[in-house]
């Protein structure tokens, strides 16, 4: 019997008012032409100006301590903000990784100097991070990474490469998981560390990999004798695997694993209503119970994360179910709506369909593939 207990979150009046404030801000921004709503905006919709604007409003690093530029607000308030930004398809990709996982990583493992230096800049929307985990021969099997850092005077020299690195071309720094001790087949998770690489450092080369849509979102990154000073090691040398794994719960359970295609869903319902297409509408709204259930699960995980509970298994479950839902939305649109998906169409619905269909293959890969997540869930269930 699966033990699946998650707290049910109910919103207070203050939280409902906060949601209304965000909605009206986003509506005004859209009307002012600041952004056009798009699917998967957390990954491929970057606007440095928009990130700065959110930073000025105190909407990055919302839950972090005030002494580091944060807002000391609750995880549920952050959830509300994230949900509204994604539902609106707002361009949040530039600061996404720093806000979602690098900040919490610093708070848990960073030195006082790192917290004081990086967190306020991130919270202002002025400092972006990318996450360097995957390598050409190390994706699902991350313990196979070969990028290495060797000791030199006052720091480290990194050599190796990363692949599929989202936003490496716009980030100021990358958290690189690398080997600081030689690879040992019998202790594959040992000897890894997390280093903060300044993307302007000599020896860093970023090469774009084009998305199916033609957009530039992820990259190959090469390191050739890249110097990293001692004070840019996060946490403890050799503890990189454990530290990196702790980030994954933040990465897997948020509303971005459910709402990547929400702008399409909303537009579909709008158009089907306008056309009085009852059959199409009936099929489309049949998706909504899944959305509601997933949302409640994801909010429950956010609450558990705030309480410091271990959510590894549940987060994997939410990501698996959530990404299947996102893909179903794109598939339903393709079957129900008689329009040709096209990125360059003047028709908004056609563009949203094209974005969802072309981004779709990545939903179940990024952040851990479906097969890997199901393995985590299966092991978690067996262990109970
Ligand atoms: C849009 C996008 C953005 C990304 N952004 C980043 C990023 O910012 N930083 C970063 O480091 N990485 C990023 N990635 C990489 C992503 O994390 C990897 O693609 C993912 O972990 C899978 O690794 P892989 O591509 O090497 O596939 P592989 O690991 O080679 O897997 C290929 C297939 O084999 C299956 N498979 C592998 N091992 C097993 C097993 N043991 N049991 C069952 N099936 C298995 C997988 O499920 C998959 O279907 C991104 C990927 C995408 C698509």
């Amino acid at each position: 019997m699966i033990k699946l207990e998650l707290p049910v979150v109910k919103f207070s009046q203050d939280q409902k008012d906060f949601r209304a404030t965000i909605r009206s801000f986003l509506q005004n921004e859209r009307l002012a032409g600041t952004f056009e709503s798009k699917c998967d905006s957390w990954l491929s919709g970057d606007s440095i100006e928009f990130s700065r604007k959110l930073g000025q409003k105190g909407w990055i690093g919302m839950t972090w301590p005030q002494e580091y530029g944060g807002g000391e607000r609750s995880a549920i308030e952050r959830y509300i903000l994230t949900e509204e930004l994604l539902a609106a398809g707002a361009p949040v990709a530039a600061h996404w990784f720093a806000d979602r996982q690098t900040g919490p990583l610093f708070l848990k493992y960073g030195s006082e100097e790192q917290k004081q230096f990086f967190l306020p800049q991130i919270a202002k929307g002025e400092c972006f991070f990318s996450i360097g985990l995957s390598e050409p021969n190390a994706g699902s099997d991350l313990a196979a990474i070969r990028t290495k850092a060797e000791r030199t005077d006052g720091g480290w020299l990194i050599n190796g490469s990363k692949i599929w690195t989202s936003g490496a071309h716009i980030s100021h720094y990358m958290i690189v998981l690398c080997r600081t001790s030689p690879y040992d087949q019998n202790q594959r998770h040992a000897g890894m560390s997390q280093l903060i690489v300044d993307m302007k450092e000599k020896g860093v080369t970023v090469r774009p990999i084009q998305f199916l849509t033609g957009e530039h979102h992820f990259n190959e990154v090469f390191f050739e004798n890249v110097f990293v000073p001692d004070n840019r090691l996060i946490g403890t040398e050799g503890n990189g695997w454990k530290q990196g794994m702790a980030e994954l719960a933040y990465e897997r359970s948020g509303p971005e694993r459910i709402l990547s295609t929400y702008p399409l869903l909303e537009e579909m319902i709008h158009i089907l209503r306008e056309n009085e297409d009852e059959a199409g509408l009936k099929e489309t709204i049949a998706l909504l119970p899944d959305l509601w259930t997933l949302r409640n699960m994801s909010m429950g995980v956010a609450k558990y994360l705030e309480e410091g509970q271990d959510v590894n298994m549940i987060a994997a479950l939410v990501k698996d179910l959530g990404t299947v839902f996102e893909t179903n939305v794109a598939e339903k649109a393709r079957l129900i709506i008689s329009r040709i998906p096209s990125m360059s169409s003047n028709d908004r619905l056609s563009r949203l369909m094209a974005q969802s269909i072309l981004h779709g293959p990545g939903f179940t890969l990024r952040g851990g593939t479906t097969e890997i997540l199901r393995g985590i869930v299966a092991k978690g269930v067996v262990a109970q």
Side-chain angles (χ1 to χ4, degrees):
M1 179 79 166
I2 303 178
K3 190 169 151 234
L4 186 65
E5 290 165 7
L6 280 166
V8 175
V9 176
K10 291 216 163 73
F11 298 115
S12 66
Q13 191 52 48
D14 278 355
Q15 289 168 341
K16 288 180 188 164
D17 293 345
F18 180 48
R19 188 184 290 282
T21 306
I22 306 163
R23 264 190 204 177
S24 107
F25 163 77
L26 290 169
Q27 178 65 0
N28 289 339
E29 289 292 312
R30 248 187 317 220
L31 290 175
T34 312
F35 71 91
E36 184 196 288
S37 172
K38 66 185 286 198
C39 288
D40 216 17
S41 67
W42 65 275
L43 209 85
S44 64
D46 51 79
S47 157
I48 290 166
E49 300 73 39
F50 193 77
S51 289
R52 295 234 160 106
K53 228 176 235 183
L54 294 187
Q56 280 157 11
K57 294 188 82 61
W59 289 355
I60 300 178
M62 266 180 80
T63 60
W64 309 345
Q66 286 184 9
E67 62 177 309
Y68 302 124
E72 286 187 19
R73 299 180 76 166
S74 69
I76 294 305
E77 282 170 297
R78 181 177 182 275
Y79 195 97
I80 292 169
L81 172 70
T82 314
E83 197 170 50
E84 289 301 320
L85 290 168
L86 296 172
V92 290
H95 66 272
W96 191 263
F97 301 104
D99 182 45
R100 178 181 72 184
Q101 66 201 84
T102 313
L105 177 76
F106 280 132
L107 286 170
K108 192 157 184 199
Y109 293 107
S111 66
E112 191 52 37
E113 184 199 347
Q114 288 167 355
K115 287 189 237 182
Q116 286 188 16
F117 181 74
F118 289 111
L119 292 176
Q121 297 183 61
I122 296 176
K124 280 189 200 151
E126 292 174 0
C127 179
F128 310 136
F129 275 76
S130 51
I131 309 297
L133 299 173
S134 309
E135 295 182 10
N137 293 310
S140 302
D141 183 16
L142 196 57
I145 60 159
R146 288 288 192 269
T147 295
K148 62 177 182 185
E150 287 169 311
R151 278 266 170 222
T152 186
D153 267 0
W156 310 81
L157 282 181
I158 300 195
N159 282 285
S161 68
K162 294 287 170 184
I163 195 164
W164 315 123
T165 323
S166 303
H169 56 299
I170 52 166
S171 61
H172 301 92
Y173 300 93
M174 187 195 290
I175 307 284
V176 176
L177 184 70
C178 55
R179 295 212 159 270
T180 41
S181 303
Y183 180 75
D184 177 352
Q185 180 60 37
N186 299 317
Q187 282 192 296
R188 302 182 76 231
H189 298 149
M192 290 186 225
S193 303
Q194 289 181 300
L195 295 181
I196 306 164
V197 171
D198 185 333
M199 298 301 278
K200 292 189 302 305
E201 193 64 50
K202 200 166 141 245
V204 177
T205 308
V206 178
R207 262 197 226 148
I209 306 176
Q210 261 197 2
F211 237 45
L212 286 174
T213 55
E215 294 160 300
H216 176 194
H217 148 70
F218 48 25
N219 305 273
E220 281 180 290
V221 183
F222 300 90
F223 308 100
E224 205 179 326
N225 288 324
V226 175
F227 179 69
V228 179
D230 276 330
N231 64 355
R232 294 283 162 92
L233 167 77
I234 304 180
T236 312
E237 184 183 335
N239 198 34
W241 180 264
K242 187 172 162 228
Q243 294 173 195
M245 290 304 107
E247 278 179 60
L248 290 181
Y250 290 96
E251 199 181 324
R252 289 182 173 157
S253 59
E256 70 271 30
R257 302 303 182 179
I258 304 168
L259 296 179
S260 300
T261 50
Y262 185 86
L264 169 64
L265 180 62
E266 197 177 64
E267 183 68 5
M268 250 170 98
I269 292 175
H270 171 69
I271 298 289
L272 290 168
R273 266 199 192 134
E274 228 175 45
N275 296 344
E276 295 179 6
D277 181 342
E278 288 209 9
L281 205 50
K282 204 170 155 195
E283 269 203 67
T284 308
I285 58 175
L287 290 164
L288 299 185
D290 283 354
L291 174 61
W292 193 251
T293 309
L294 284 163
R295 179 202 196 210
N296 281 319
M297 288 175 74
S298 166
M299 275 194 296
V301 178
K303 188 127 189 53
Y304 271 173
L305 270 173
E306 188 173 41
E307 292 165 8
Q309 302 213 33
D310 176 6
V311 292
N312 195 24
M313 193 262 264
I314 287 280
L317 190 63
V318 171
K319 201 229 156 204
D320 176 21
L321 296 173
T323 52
V324 169
F325 170 79
E326 293 178 327
T327 313
N328 282 345
V329 172
E331 183 62 4
K332 269 267 158 61
R334 201 178 61 75
L335 294 173
I336 294 174
I337 307 282
S338 53
R339 296 193 192 184
I340 298 180
S342 162
M343 292 294 288
S344 56
S345 169
N346 290 330
D347 174 47
R348 186 170 131 73
L349 187 54
S350 295
R351 287 197 302 279
L352 291 170
M353 284 172 75
Q355 288 158 11
S356 322
I357 292 166
L358 295 174
H359 283 224
F363 296 165
T364 52
L365 291 174
R366 60 195 187 192
T369 67
T370 298
E371 290 75 13
I372 296 302
L373 297 171
R374 290 183 184 170
I376 293 171
V377 174
K379 283 180 204 154
V381 171
V382 169
Q384 282 183 6

